[in-house]
Amino acid sequence: MPAVTQTREAVEKLGQSTYKWGFETDIEMDMAPKGLNEDIIRLISSRKEEPEWMLEWRLAAYKTWQAMQEPKWAKVAYPPIDYQDAHYYAAPRKKPGPKSLDEVDPELLRTYEKLGIPLHEQALLAGVEVPEGERMPVAVDAVFDSVSVATTFRKTLEEAGVIFCPISEAVKEHPDLVRKYLGTVVPAGDNFFSALNSAVFTDGSFVYVPKGVRCPMELSTYFRINARNTGQFERTLIVVEEGASVSYLEGCTAPMRDENQLHAAVVELVAMDDASIKYSTVQNWYPGDENGRGGIYNFVTKRGACRGARSKISWTQVETGSAITWKYPSCILQGEGSVGEFYSVAVTNNHQQADTGTKMIHLGRNTRSTIIAKTISAGRSDSTYRGLVRVQPKASGARNFTQCDSLLIGDQCGAHTVPYIESRNMNARIEHEATTSKISEDQLFYCRQRGLSEEDAVGLIVNGFCRDVLKELPMEFAVEAQKLLQISLEGSVG
Amino acid sequence: MSQFLEISGLCAQIDADGQEKQILRGVDLSIPPGEVHVIMGPNGSGKSTLSYVLAGREDYEVTAGTATFHGQDLLAMEPEERAAAGLFLAFQSPIELPGVNNANFLRTAVNAVRRARGQEELDAVAFLKMAREAAKALSMAPDMLKRNVNVGFSGGEKKRNEVLQMTLLQPTFAILDETDSGLDVDALRIVAEGVNRLRAPTFSALVITHHQKLLDYLVPDRIHVMARGRIILSGGPELARQIDQEGYTKFLAEVA
Ligand SMILES: Nc1ncnc2c1ncn2[C@@H]1O[C@H](COP(=O)(O)OP(=O)(O)OP(=O)(O)O)[C@@H](O)[C@H]1O
Ligand SMILES: [Mg+2]
């Protein structure tokens, strides 16, 4: 078919672009020696001045992990990871927790600038007040490698009774809350990577929204993986009480490097009666070069528990980065009438591999879930959507709607859809739709005839394809995500 | 002679399932500035192919001949460069772009072309004002700008949307490939008025059509008849009326 050849040629002609955010910040590091053993875990725990119970929890997780096997069922391939050949703790040597921007290392600020953190967020970082009536402010908790070095808007949040702080701090200052919920949604032994994370997690966010409180701002965390050979084990816990709500934004880019880096995060969400949590991610870690060298291994466990009646958890993700992605943000729909949503765009290019999707576990009556997954594959990449919808016997009236669309660019990439549907209740209604399409020569030519460059044309068409998901993102993120989609397909797309 | 648009001995073929298929077999055509020329001809004679080749569609391989635009080698330019240079093609079958907002598409296109032409880009507010006025002049429903490009548009709405794009992109040379087919009588007049508004000493058009009706409104300068990949006959406006009444058979027989 001539059309196919055309696309492939166009793809090749455009050549390869380099990762736009590949730079490294030079800040003095405090680093643990390579390797993983009980001593390292004790070191992490003592560096973080953790209470004894936390150390015990870590050590127990480590024992569990040692007895586990790395999972092999995902459709991803990579050389064996030597878990002893990495540093499990790295922290900027400067004292953590500056209270104003002046105290933040200027290197770090330059990093944010290069990352293109939106200006208004930089202003917020700088503590500039937003005039009344303007858009909802965004609080940024910057996680720089392992220790949070800047936290903003703590006061406004405190006044509302919202806790938003590094989890390492929460362990010390809100131990009862942390102990009550940590590991209750994703138990340490849930899977190989969650066990590893539980043993060595370094930092992440803790959010607690008390009963009846609508969090007065969107909470945002920018993650950077910065130190060479430092696996990052982020741990985030968000608890939203009865009738409360929060919107949490997670965005990340990483500097360019050669060695593969392991990233195994665990995110736990808990929503009580009538509570709602919106969790949005834009993930743009280094995907490796055009030959498949380098790049981040992203093995994430994200899970939300809709414990209360009519509670709602909504995951929205735009995944463009990482060499390997293994990620299934899930919802456990326990409360009667609770709602789970999953909106996803996953882009793979060059040699990237992604196996991602979601799990919707319907336990309660009249629970509802919606899954909209858009997969875009280009170059020689491979992308798999893996989704599980399970309806348990008690979940009468449960409903699910799933829509999976794949867009292929070129003819050397792959897209796979693997739906698992398990219904143990006769009253459940499950709908599944799937499509696969290509960017057509007609569409490209039409756009170019109107004056758009080939790359702009692809960007426009891809953004159109993803519209149903992008519109779920908060405004700030939507713009960034659109740019990202185009950039990540640059150099491989026709 | 370096004219506005100059096509000479143009041959083009397509790779159809591994077989080379010759479609254009030596097209000669020159259009001076400020004129409206018409191409008529039987189905499958190569009219759309000519418009695609002029606009730069890569599926068609040019095997011989030249095409210059303002003295520039048109065939050496990328499609978007031709657009920036002022060439516009109203497609016989406009393409759908799912999920792409029409106004956003139009603004992206207009600004891409403005950038290439060294003009200042339009901000969203200025653009929307301009687009709404242009849409109104074409009697398009206001929601057409909010909908996805050509998705679910009726045949006539698609054609009008092409003319809207043409109006906003302000080309100096427009090819209209059967923009009149599928239009009701009123729409036909509205579309013709849209083209007439662009008429200027610096604007030319190549109108591909099967019907005399559009030409009543457009008042063309010359009519060309295409058959089997060649212009076989050219004449004044009366030629179109003759074809309308007598069909092509007579002319085809004459050249055969
Ligand atoms: N991509 C293609 N693959 C195979 N054949 C093609 C292709 N494009 C054009 N052709 C053939 O070339 C010939 C000319 O087609 P073209 O569309 O240019 O005709 P036309 O004069 O515009 O006809 P109409 O009046 O029906 O619009 C036809 O026989 C057509 O089938
Ligand atoms: Mg045609």
mmCIF file of all heavy atoms in Angstrom, chain A residues 48-77:
data_model
loop_
_atom_site.group_PDB
_atom_site.id
_atom_site.type_symbol
_atom_site.label_atom_id
_atom_site.label_comp_id
_atom_site.label_asym_id
_atom_site.label_seq_id
_atom_site.Cartn_x
_atom_site.Cartn_y
_atom_site.Cartn_z
ATOM 1 N N LYS A 48 16.142 9.877 57.843
ATOM 2 C CA LYS A 48 14.852 10.545 57.851
ATOM 3 C C LYS A 48 14.302 10.707 59.271
ATOM 4 O O LYS A 48 13.183 11.169 59.447
ATOM 5 C CB LYS A 48 13.858 9.762 56.980
ATOM 6 C CG LYS A 48 14.295 9.709 55.526
ATOM 7 C CD LYS A 48 13.268 9.020 54.683
ATOM 8 C CE LYS A 48 13.334 9.526 53.261
ATOM 9 N NZ LYS A 48 13.045 10.959 53.154
ATOM 10 N N GLU A 49 15.105 10.307 60.234
ATOM 11 C CA GLU A 49 14.728 10.433 61.647
ATOM 12 C C GLU A 49 13.347 9.848 61.905
ATOM 13 O O GLU A 49 12.469 10.476 62.492
ATOM 14 C CB GLU A 49 14.780 11.904 62.079
ATOM 15 C CG GLU A 49 16.174 12.479 61.984
ATOM 16 C CD GLU A 49 16.182 14.006 61.932
ATOM 17 O OE1 GLU A 49 15.096 14.611 61.914
ATOM 18 O OE2 GLU A 49 17.279 14.573 61.903
ATOM 19 N N GLU A 50 13.164 8.636 61.392
ATOM 20 C CA GLU A 50 11.848 8.017 61.491
ATOM 21 C C GLU A 50 11.627 7.355 62.843
ATOM 22 O O GLU A 50 12.576 6.869 63.463
ATOM 23 C CB GLU A 50 11.688 6.953 60.393
ATOM 24 C CG GLU A 50 11.490 7.560 59.014
ATOM 25 C CD GLU A 50 11.381 6.508 57.918
ATOM 26 O OE1 GLU A 50 11.649 5.315 58.198
ATOM 27 O OE2 GLU A 50 11.033 6.885 56.795
ATOM 28 N N PRO A 51 10.352 7.276 63.244
ATOM 29 C CA PRO A 51 10.039 6.518 64.459
ATOM 30 C C PRO A 51 10.279 5.022 64.239
ATOM 31 O O PRO A 51 10.321 4.547 63.097
ATOM 32 C CB PRO A 51 8.562 6.808 64.706
ATOM 33 C CG PRO A 51 8.028 7.334 63.413
ATOM 34 C CD PRO A 51 9.174 7.944 62.685
ATOM 35 N N GLU A 52 10.391 4.314 65.315
ATOM 36 C CA GLU A 52 10.723 2.894 65.275
ATOM 37 C C GLU A 52 9.721 2.081 64.434
ATOM 38 O O GLU A 52 10.100 1.212 63.658
ATOM 39 C CB GLU A 52 10.778 2.357 66.723
ATOM 40 C CG GLU A 52 11.298 0.942 66.868
ATOM 41 C CD GLU A 52 12.735 0.753 66.370
ATOM 42 O OE1 GLU A 52 13.511 1.744 66.354
ATOM 43 O OE2 GLU A 52 13.070 -0.385 65.966
ATOM 44 N N TRP A 53 8.421 2.390 64.592
ATOM 45 C CA TRP A 53 7.406 1.595 63.880
ATOM 46 C C TRP A 53 7.589 1.646 62.358
ATOM 47 O O TRP A 53 7.326 0.679 61.654
ATOM 48 C CB TRP A 53 5.981 2.032 64.250
ATOM 49 C CG TRP A 53 5.621 3.458 63.863
ATOM 50 C CD1 TRP A 53 5.703 4.558 64.648
ATOM 51 C CD2 TRP A 53 5.094 3.906 62.595
ATOM 52 N NE1 TRP A 53 5.292 5.675 63.978
ATOM 53 C CE2 TRP A 53 4.906 5.307 62.706
ATOM 54 C CE3 TRP A 53 4.778 3.277 61.381
ATOM 55 C CZ2 TRP A 53 4.412 6.092 61.672
ATOM 56 C CZ3 TRP A 53 4.283 4.064 60.349
ATOM 57 C CH2 TRP A 53 4.102 5.445 60.481
ATOM 58 N N MET A 54 8.083 2.793 61.907
ATOM 59 C CA MET A 54 8.282 2.949 60.466
ATOM 60 C C MET A 54 9.403 2.034 59.987
ATOM 61 O O MET A 54 9.300 1.384 58.943
ATOM 62 C CB MET A 54 8.601 4.418 60.169
ATOM 63 C CG MET A 54 8.513 4.807 58.707
ATOM 64 S SD MET A 54 6.820 4.840 58.049
ATOM 65 C CE MET A 54 6.844 3.396 57.028
ATOM 66 N N LEU A 55 10.475 2.015 60.782
ATOM 67 C CA LEU A 55 11.596 1.148 60.440
ATOM 68 C C LEU A 55 11.150 -0.318 60.422
ATOM 69 O O LEU A 55 11.477 -1.068 59.502
ATOM 70 C CB LEU A 55 12.748 1.347 61.428
ATOM 71 C CG LEU A 55 13.941 0.388 61.255
ATOM 72 C CD1 LEU A 55 14.603 0.583 59.882
ATOM 73 C CD2 LEU A 55 14.966 0.571 62.370
ATOM 74 N N GLU A 56 10.358 -0.685 61.437
ATOM 75 C CA GLU A 56 9.887 -2.077 61.491
ATOM 76 C C GLU A 56 9.055 -2.405 60.244
ATOM 77 O O GLU A 56 9.174 -3.482 59.658
ATOM 78 C CB GLU A 56 9.025 -2.304 62.749
ATOM 79 C CG GLU A 56 9.791 -2.162 64.065
ATOM 80 C CD GLU A 56 10.987 -3.113 64.141
ATOM 81 O OE1 GLU A 56 10.890 -4.221 63.577
ATOM 82 O OE2 GLU A 56 12.020 -2.740 64.754
ATOM 83 N N TRP A 57 8.230 -1.472 59.865
ATOM 84 C CA TRP A 57 7.353 -1.649 58.687
ATOM 85 C C TRP A 57 8.199 -1.872 57.437
ATOM 86 O O TRP A 57 7.941 -2.753 56.628
ATOM 87 C CB TRP A 57 6.487 -0.393 58.541
ATOM 88 C CG TRP A 57 5.264 -0.527 57.702
ATOM 89 C CD1 TRP A 57 4.056 -1.049 58.077
ATOM 90 C CD2 TRP A 57 5.110 -0.107 56.341
ATOM 91 N NE1 TRP A 57 3.163 -0.970 57.039
ATOM 92 C CE2 TRP A 57 3.780 -0.399 55.957
ATOM 93 C CE3 TRP A 57 5.948 0.501 55.405
ATOM 94 C CZ2 TRP A 57 3.269 -0.114 54.696
ATOM 95 C CZ3 TRP A 57 5.453 0.784 54.136
ATOM 96 C CH2 TRP A 57 4.132 0.481 53.794
ATOM 97 N N ARG A 58 9.246 -1.064 57.321
ATOM 98 C CA ARG A 58 10.139 -1.183 56.171
ATOM 99 C C ARG A 58 10.837 -2.554 56.153
ATOM 100 O O ARG A 58 10.915 -3.199 55.109
ATOM 101 C CB ARG A 58 11.220 -0.102 56.224
ATOM 102 C CG ARG A 58 10.751 1.302 55.885
ATOM 103 C CD ARG A 58 11.922 2.270 56.088
ATOM 104 N NE ARG A 58 11.578 3.659 55.834
ATOM 105 C CZ ARG A 58 11.560 4.213 54.626
ATOM 106 N NH1 ARG A 58 11.862 3.501 53.559
ATOM 107 N NH2 ARG A 58 11.248 5.484 54.477
ATOM 108 N N LEU A 59 11.322 -2.923 57.322
ATOM 109 C CA LEU A 59 12.079 -4.175 57.379
ATOM 110 C C LEU A 59 11.181 -5.372 57.050
ATOM 111 O O LEU A 59 11.603 -6.309 56.368
ATOM 112 C CB LEU A 59 12.739 -4.341 58.751
ATOM 113 C CG LEU A 59 13.888 -3.356 59.018
ATOM 114 C CD1 LEU A 59 14.362 -3.452 60.475
ATOM 115 C CD2 LEU A 59 15.063 -3.584 58.050
ATOM 116 N N ALA A 60 9.935 -5.293 57.529
ATOM 117 C CA ALA A 60 8.994 -6.376 57.223
ATOM 118 C C ALA A 60 8.749 -6.442 55.708
ATOM 119 O O ALA A 60 8.721 -7.527 55.112
ATOM 120 C CB ALA A 60 7.681 -6.147 57.968
ATOM 121 N N ALA A 61 8.596 -5.254 55.103
ATOM 122 C CA ALA A 61 8.374 -5.210 53.654
ATOM 123 C C ALA A 61 9.578 -5.792 52.918
ATOM 124 O O ALA A 61 9.443 -6.506 51.921
ATOM 125 C CB ALA A 61 8.109 -3.772 53.201
ATOM 126 N N TYR A 62 10.764 -5.477 53.419
ATOM 127 C CA TYR A 62 11.984 -5.980 52.793
ATOM 128 C C TYR A 62 12.017 -7.508 52.814
ATOM 129 O O TYR A 62 12.349 -8.154 51.811
ATOM 130 C CB TYR A 62 13.210 -5.399 53.503
ATOM 131 C CG TYR A 62 14.520 -5.919 52.964
ATOM 132 C CD1 TYR A 62 14.916 -5.642 51.655
ATOM 133 C CD2 TYR A 62 15.365 -6.702 53.759
ATOM 134 C CE1 TYR A 62 16.115 -6.121 51.149
ATOM 135 C CE2 TYR A 62 16.565 -7.192 53.269
ATOM 136 C CZ TYR A 62 16.937 -6.897 51.957
ATOM 137 O OH TYR A 62 18.110 -7.386 51.462
ATOM 138 N N LYS A 63 11.603 -8.088 53.953
ATOM 139 C CA LYS A 63 11.553 -9.554 54.055
ATOM 140 C C LYS A 63 10.582 -10.122 53.024
ATOM 141 O O LYS A 63 10.865 -11.115 52.364
ATOM 142 C CB LYS A 63 11.097 -9.957 55.468
ATOM 143 C CG LYS A 63 12.206 -9.867 56.485
ATOM 144 C CD LYS A 63 12.158 -11.062 57.468
ATOM 145 C CE LYS A 63 13.419 -11.101 58.289
ATOM 146 N NZ LYS A 63 13.572 -9.866 59.122
ATOM 147 N N THR A 64 9.445 -9.471 52.913
ATOM 148 C CA THR A 64 8.437 -9.912 51.943
ATOM 149 C C THR A 64 9.016 -9.863 50.528
ATOM 150 O O THR A 64 8.878 -10.798 49.750
ATOM 151 C CB THR A 64 7.203 -8.980 51.993
ATOM 152 O OG1 THR A 64 6.804 -8.860 53.353
ATOM 153 C CG2 THR A 64 6.063 -9.522 51.163
ATOM 154 N N TRP A 65 9.676 -8.746 50.241
ATOM 155 C CA TRP A 65 10.220 -8.549 48.902
ATOM 156 C C TRP A 65 11.245 -9.629 48.541
ATOM 157 O O TRP A 65 11.246 -10.161 47.438
ATOM 158 C CB TRP A 65 10.869 -7.157 48.818
ATOM 159 C CG TRP A 65 11.502 -6.872 47.492
ATOM 160 C CD1 TRP A 65 10.860 -6.586 46.330
ATOM 161 C CD2 TRP A 65 12.910 -6.845 47.189
ATOM 162 N NE1 TRP A 65 11.766 -6.370 45.322
ATOM 163 C CE2 TRP A 65 13.031 -6.536 45.823
ATOM 164 C CE3 TRP A 65 14.078 -7.059 47.949
ATOM 165 C CZ2 TRP A 65 14.267 -6.417 45.186
ATOM 166 C CZ3 TRP A 65 15.301 -6.943 47.303
ATOM 167 C CH2 TRP A 65 15.388 -6.627 45.947
ATOM 168 N N GLN A 66 12.088 -9.944 49.533
ATOM 169 C CA GLN A 66 13.140 -10.940 49.283
ATOM 170 C C GLN A 66 12.558 -12.278 48.839
ATOM 171 O O GLN A 66 13.190 -13.010 48.089
ATOM 172 C CB GLN A 66 13.980 -11.145 50.540
ATOM 173 C CG GLN A 66 14.998 -10.050 50.735
ATOM 174 C CD GLN A 66 15.887 -10.335 51.918
ATOM 175 O OE1 GLN A 66 15.386 -10.558 53.029
ATOM 176 N NE2 GLN A 66 17.180 -10.351 51.704
ATOM 177 N N ALA A 67 11.340 -12.570 49.306
ATOM 178 C CA ALA A 67 10.721 -13.857 48.979
ATOM 179 C C ALA A 67 9.948 -13.796 47.662
ATOM 180 O O ALA A 67 9.365 -14.788 47.235
ATOM 181 C CB ALA A 67 9.797 -14.290 50.116
ATOM 182 N N MET A 68 9.925 -12.626 47.021
ATOM 183 C CA MET A 68 9.092 -12.480 45.818
ATOM 184 C C MET A 68 9.902 -12.529 44.539
ATOM 185 O O MET A 68 11.108 -12.315 44.529
ATOM 186 C CB MET A 68 8.318 -11.154 45.889
ATOM 187 C CG MET A 68 7.255 -11.142 46.966
ATOM 188 S SD MET A 68 6.437 -9.541 47.098
ATOM 189 C CE MET A 68 5.020 -9.819 46.072
ATOM 190 N N GLN A 69 9.186 -12.800 43.455
ATOM 191 C CA GLN A 69 9.798 -12.839 42.121
ATOM 192 C C GLN A 69 9.355 -11.613 41.325
ATOM 193 O O GLN A 69 8.206 -11.200 41.423
ATOM 194 C CB GLN A 69 9.320 -14.084 41.363
ATOM 195 C CG GLN A 69 9.766 -15.402 41.975
ATOM 196 C CD GLN A 69 11.232 -15.677 41.735
ATOM 197 O OE1 GLN A 69 11.747 -15.359 40.651
ATOM 198 N NE2 GLN A 69 11.924 -16.231 42.722
ATOM 199 N N GLU A 70 10.249 -11.113 40.512
ATOM 200 C CA GLU A 70 9.879 -10.011 39.630
ATOM 201 C C GLU A 70 8.823 -10.505 38.641
ATOM 202 O O GLU A 70 8.967 -11.547 38.040
ATOM 203 C CB GLU A 70 11.137 -9.559 38.868
ATOM 204 C CG GLU A 70 11.077 -8.160 38.388
ATOM 205 C CD GLU A 70 12.416 -7.727 37.783
ATOM 206 O OE1 GLU A 70 13.476 -8.047 38.349
ATOM 207 O OE2 GLU A 70 12.366 -7.068 36.740
ATOM 208 N N PRO A 71 7.731 -9.746 38.456
ATOM 209 C CA PRO A 71 6.671 -10.222 37.558
ATOM 210 C C PRO A 71 7.127 -10.219 36.095
ATOM 211 O O PRO A 71 7.904 -9.376 35.688
ATOM 212 C CB PRO A 71 5.546 -9.207 37.770
ATOM 213 C CG PRO A 71 6.212 -7.980 38.294
ATOM 214 C CD PRO A 71 7.422 -8.440 39.046
ATOM 215 N N LYS A 72 6.622 -11.192 35.363
ATOM 216 C CA LYS A 72 7.044 -11.318 33.967
ATOM 217 C C LYS A 72 5.858 -11.307 33.002
ATOM 218 O O LYS A 72 6.025 -11.465 31.797
ATOM 219 C CB LYS A 72 7.822 -12.639 33.769
ATOM 220 C CG LYS A 72 9.160 -12.665 34.469
ATOM 221 C CD LYS A 72 10.227 -11.876 33.703
ATOM 222 C CE LYS A 72 11.553 -11.824 34.444
ATOM 223 N NZ LYS A 72 11.973 -10.445 34.769
ATOM 224 N N TRP A 73 4.649 -11.112 33.523
ATOM 225 C CA TRP A 73 3.480 -11.257 32.663
ATOM 226 C C TRP A 73 3.245 -10.068 31.730
ATOM 227 O O TRP A 73 2.576 -10.177 30.731
ATOM 228 C CB TRP A 73 2.217 -11.509 33.497
ATOM 229 C CG TRP A 73 2.084 -10.582 34.670
ATOM 230 C CD1 TRP A 73 2.455 -10.839 35.947
ATOM 231 C CD2 TRP A 73 1.570 -9.251 34.661
ATOM 232 N NE1 TRP A 73 2.210 -9.745 36.748
ATOM 233 C CE2 TRP A 73 1.662 -8.764 35.981
ATOM 234 C CE3 TRP A 73 1.040 -8.412 33.655
ATOM 235 C CZ2 TRP A 73 1.254 -7.482 36.330
ATOM 236 C CZ3 TRP A 73 0.629 -7.140 34.010
ATOM 237 C CH2 TRP A 73 0.731 -6.678 35.332
ATOM 238 N N ALA A 74 3.805 -8.927 32.060
ATOM 239 C CA ALA A 74 3.555 -7.755 31.215
ATOM 240 C C ALA A 74 4.255 -7.911 29.876
ATOM 241 O O ALA A 74 5.249 -8.636 29.766
ATOM 242 C CB ALA A 74 4.034 -6.492 31.906
ATOM 243 N N LYS A 75 3.743 -7.244 28.857
ATOM 244 C CA LYS A 75 4.329 -7.350 27.537
ATOM 245 C C LYS A 75 5.450 -6.323 27.383
ATOM 246 O O LYS A 75 5.392 -5.412 26.571
ATOM 247 C CB LYS A 75 3.250 -7.128 26.472
ATOM 248 C CG LYS A 75 3.653 -7.705 25.113
ATOM 249 C CD LYS A 75 2.579 -7.510 24.070
ATOM 250 C CE LYS A 75 3.029 -7.940 22.696
ATOM 251 N NZ LYS A 75 4.408 -7.625 22.348
ATOM 252 N N VAL A 76 6.445 -6.473 28.240
ATOM 253 C CA VAL A 76 7.614 -5.607 28.148
ATOM 254 C C VAL A 76 8.853 -6.480 28.276
ATOM 255 O O VAL A 76 8.816 -7.530 28.890
ATOM 256 C CB VAL A 76 7.642 -4.518 29.255
ATOM 257 C CG1 VAL A 76 6.500 -3.539 29.060
ATOM 258 C CG2 VAL A 76 7.573 -5.139 30.640
ATOM 259 N N ALA A 77 9.940 -6.048 27.656
ATOM 260 C CA ALA A 77 11.171 -6.820 27.714
ATOM 261 C C ALA A 77 12.311 -5.892 28.089
ATOM 262 O O ALA A 77 12.410 -4.796 27.559
ATOM 263 C CB ALA A 77 11.449 -7.471 26.358
#
